[in-house]
Every structure is written in C-alpha cells, then in structure tokens.
Amino acid sequence: MATSVNSLGLILDVLGAILLLKFGIPPKIDPQGHIYFIAEQVDEAEIAMGKRYCFWSNVAVVLLIAGFALQLVSNYIK
C-alpha cells in the first residue's frame, strides 16, 4: 500500500511539474521579434489567456503539493 501511495505522489509531482513548465510563467516576449505597444484598448483574448495560465499554474502547484503530501504519508503507512 505504501508503495502505491508513493507512486501516486510521484505521478502527481511529474504532472504538476509538466504543467508548471508549460503554464508557470506566461510568455512576455514574442519569439518572432514583433514589437508591441501599450494602447488604451483591452484585448479580451489576452485576458482569457492570462486567466488560463493562472488557472493551470495553480493546478500545477496543487498537484505538486498533493504529490509531496502523498509521498510523506507513504512513509507512515505500514
């Protein structure tokens, strides 16, 4: 049982790390070198992308914490 709990914790940690790699830090630069300027307009697509990045980065942190907790608990299961 302890091995299964520990393995589940490791799987959650890996999933959390992958999500954090993808969504942890939203991109601020354009790889094609386009220059952007600040305007008074609001871009709804940018707002939606920001919310998506925020949601998935929070899910990633929760998965990492749950994974570490399961690994810790597995040390005390007989």
Side-chain angles (χ1 to χ4, degrees):
M1 180 71 170
T3 305
S4 298
V5 172
N6 191 20
S7 296
L8 180 61
L10 287 171
I11 290 169
L12 291 179
D13 284 339
V14 169
L15 290 174
I18 290 169
L19 284 174
L20 205 53
L21 178 67
K22 171 111 176 104
F23 295 105
I25 303 172
K28 298 281 186 199
I29 59 169
D30 186 354
Q32 285 80 32
H34 297 121
I35 298 173
Y36 297 98
F37 61 93
I38 298 174
E40 292 182 17
Q41 299 172 337
V42 175
D43 186 1
E44 295 298 326
E46 286 291 318
I47 292 173
M49 185 172 69
K51 288 180 181 179
R52 186 172 66 244
Y53 269 77
C54 186
F55 172 78
W56 285 110
S57 64
N58 287 335
V59 168
V61 171
V62 168
L63 287 174
L64 286 171
I65 291 170
F68 285 125
L70 286 174
Q71 289 180 45
L72 182 64
V73 167
S74 73
N75 291 329
Y76 299 102
I77 296 175
K78 299 209 183 225

